[in-house]
Amino acid sequence: MLSDAFIIARREVHDSLRDWRIVAPILVLTLIFPYIMNLSTQVAVNFVQDYNATIIPLHLIPFALMIVGFFPISFSLVIALETFVGEKERNSLEPLLASPLSDASLYVGKLLSAMLPPLFASYLGILAYMITVSLSLHYSPDPVVLVQILLLTMMESLVMVAGAVVVSSHTTSVRAANLLASFIIIPMAFLLQGESVLLFWGQYDVLWYIIAALVVVDVILIRMGVQTFNREEILAREIDELNLRRLLGRFVFYFLGARRFSFGELYLKELPRLLRANRMALALTIIIVVGALFVGSALAFKFPLPLGFDSNFHVEPGFEKALQAQGSDLLPRLDTGSIFGHNARTLVLSTVVAVFSFGSGALLLLFAPMMLVGYFATALWWVGVNPLLFLGAFILPHGILELP
């Protein structure tokens, strides 16, 4: 498969390098932007050194390295968005899809061709910036930090390319693909902001966790792209249409008109089918829940409750009303509307965050409360309270009655 993929990648790279509209901007950013960033770095270093601040220049240069490396790979997004839908508009996709190559070879070859030229330009820009900084400021970055920035640049490029290729293979026009690219640009912008904070604060160890997370996202996107790639569907798709009337009609047909509603059929047939179809997602969610409980239990041993907590702790009558009268938000309101609103906001937020984080954001929102459950169950057991009583009083009503 890889040999066929490299054939596709070599063809695509050759075509990209012949287009001056792609090569010229990459060369400008690769050769000129490092020089501009070096001038900015010198101005910033001279300014902070006038106030005897020596730590900021050491953290400013790794940040500049990251920015210099990111700008050229931003073109990988533009190239990847046209991998399939662009060739379809130019009527050059049919001969390629008619070739005896497998879907996986074709998909991986397109992915590599969109990533390799911008990534090479990015590394070339980082090298140029390091040379100019070494000559002007006599500074050489820490080898570990340099390796982290190089890996971050590669993983970010692969994330953008893999996401853009998925978008390109499921849209019908370049305009639609460019509009959907915001779902890739927005998460990457937030990621760059977080990495900038870490670099300025010198928290380089956290970058390894970000690299590991990007590797996981890369695997998910590439696997999703290969699994959902269908050359016949690409050729047959003509226009993307959102028909609300047809969607509503299908909803009414399946839930009201197709057959009589039956709880027995719902729980004996539909629910097992849904569980089988989502077994991988359920397994991952169970792993996250169990891991959160273990993390919470470990924190309970590290930060235990004081002995005698169960006998000394009590709430004065009217404590909640007194807090609310003073305008304090320490405790939430425990009425039906407040509980329903909180759960609704959580579900909507989980859905929105999951779209931009490929599902990981929703799992993080689940991880936090389950970690608290693990902490309090273990901490109460440590001071002599039955943890089953805590789980039965606080968790089971919430999960069995309140959420449904």
Side-chain angles (χ1 to χ4, degrees):
M1 183 194 77
L2 288 179
S3 60
D4 295 336
F6 283 127
I7 293 175
I8 297 296
R10 186 168 60 247
R11 165 190 175 269
E12 296 291 327
V13 170
H14 182 263
D15 289 343
S16 298
L17 294 179
R18 290 192 305 174
D19 193 344
W20 67 269
R21 292 168 296 184
I22 297 177
V23 176
I26 294 179
L27 288 179
V28 169
L29 285 178
T30 302
L31 300 178
I32 298 179
F33 188 74
Y35 176 74
I36 298 174
M37 184 60 72
N38 179 48
L39 295 179
S40 303
T41 304
Q42 292 184 44
V43 173
V45 169
N46 293 332
F47 176 78
V48 296
Q49 284 182 348
D50 290 339
Y51 295 93
N52 297 323
T54 58
I55 191 172
I56 294 181
L58 300 179
H59 297 162
L60 177 62
I61 295 177
F63 165 76
L65 274 174
M66 182 188 69
I67 298 300
V68 168
F70 181 79
F71 267 90
I73 67 172
S74 61
F75 282 93
S76 62
L77 182 64
V78 179
I79 299 174
L81 287 173
E82 292 200 2
T83 49
F84 289 106
V85 67
E87 287 208 40
K88 183 179 180 180
E89 288 189 349
R90 294 190 295 270
N91 296 322
S92 60
L93 185 63
E94 288 80 359
L96 184 61
L97 295 180
S99 63
L101 297 173
S102 65
D103 288 346
S105 299
L106 184 59
Y107 186 88
V108 174
K110 286 281 192 178
L111 187 144
L112 291 175
S113 65
M115 186 185 73
L116 290 178
L119 183 62
F120 175 77
S122 175
Y123 285 166
L124 187 61
I126 291 176
L127 178 61
Y129 177 73
M130 288 177 55
I131 293 175
T132 55
V133 167
S134 177
L135 294 177
S136 59
L137 299 176
H138 306 288
Y139 173 86
S140 58
D142 181 41
V144 176
V145 177
L146 179 60
V147 170
Q148 289 178 327
I149 292 175
L150 293 177
L151 290 176
L152 279 174
T153 302
M154 179 187 297
M155 294 300 105
E156 290 166 355
S157 175
L158 189 55
V159 166
M160 290 193 297
V161 169
V165 172
V166 171
V167 169
S168 181
S169 61
H170 289 82
T171 51
T172 57
S173 65
V174 176
R175 181 178 61 180
N178 290 329
L179 291 175
L180 290 175
S182 59
F183 288 94
I184 305 170
I185 297 173
I186 293 176
M188 295 307 299
F190 285 127
L191 179 62
L192 283 177
Q193 293 178 14
E195 292 172 358
S196 302
V197 173
L198 294 174
L199 290 173
F200 275 115
W201 281 96
Q203 301 294 324
Y204 301 123
D205 294 339
V206 185
L207 295 178
W208 291 116
Y209 296 101
I210 296 179
I211 293 172
L214 288 175
V215 171
V216 173
V217 174
D218 286 331
V219 173
I220 292 174
L221 286 176
I222 294 174
R223 181 181 180 276
M224 179 176 65
V226 173
Q227 292 292 327
T228 60
F229 179 76
N230 188 314
R231 62 179 72 192
E232 289 81 8
E233 184 180 350
I234 293 176
L235 292 176
R237 190 187 299 117
E238 293 295 335
I239 186 171
D240 295 320
E241 182 183 3
L242 181 62
N243 193 325
L244 296 179
R245 180 179 297 178
R246 184 173 59 185
L247 289 176
L248 181 60
R250 289 172 64 89
F251 176 84
V252 172
F253 173 78
Y254 280 108
F255 285 91
L256 297 178
R259 54 185 179 271
R260 291 187 61 186
F261 179 78
S262 170
F263 279 105
E265 186 174 357
L266 175 66
Y267 283 102
L268 295 178
K269 292 184 179 180
E270 298 296 336
L271 185 59
R273 181 181 63 83
L274 291 174
L275 293 177
R276 286 193 302 269
N278 296 278
R279 58 185 180 275
M280 292 298 295
L282 289 172
L284 178 60
T285 305
I286 291 173
I287 292 173
I288 293 295
V289 170
V290 174
L293 293 175
F294 274 105
V295 171
S297 299
L299 291 175
F301 288 110
K302 186 176 181 181
F303 306 102
L305 295 175
L307 294 177
F309 173 83
D310 57 329
S311 59
N312 295 328
F313 180 79
H314 65 281
V315 179
E316 294 287 345
F319 174 72
E320 181 184 353
K321 292 182 179 179
L323 286 177
Q324 293 176 357
Q326 296 175 4
S328 175
D329 295 330
L330 178 63
L331 294 178
R333 293 178 60 88
L334 297 180
D335 54 67
T336 303
S338 299
I339 294 173
F340 178 82
H342 169 76
N343 291 333
R345 288 195 305 269
T346 302
L347 292 174
V348 172
L349 181 62
S350 300
T351 303
V352 174
V353 172
V355 173
F356 291 96
S357 62
F358 309 105
S360 60
L363 293 177
L364 290 177
L365 290 175
L366 176 64
F367 188 92
M370 296 309 299
M371 184 176 63
L372 292 176
V373 170
Y375 172 82
F376 281 109
T378 306
L380 291 174
W381 168 78
W382 185 254
V383 298
V385 179
N386 187 358
L388 295 180
L389 179 63
F390 163 75
L391 294 175
F394 286 92
I395 306 304
L396 290 183
H398 178 74
I400 295 177
L401 300 177
E402 179 186 326
L403 285 177

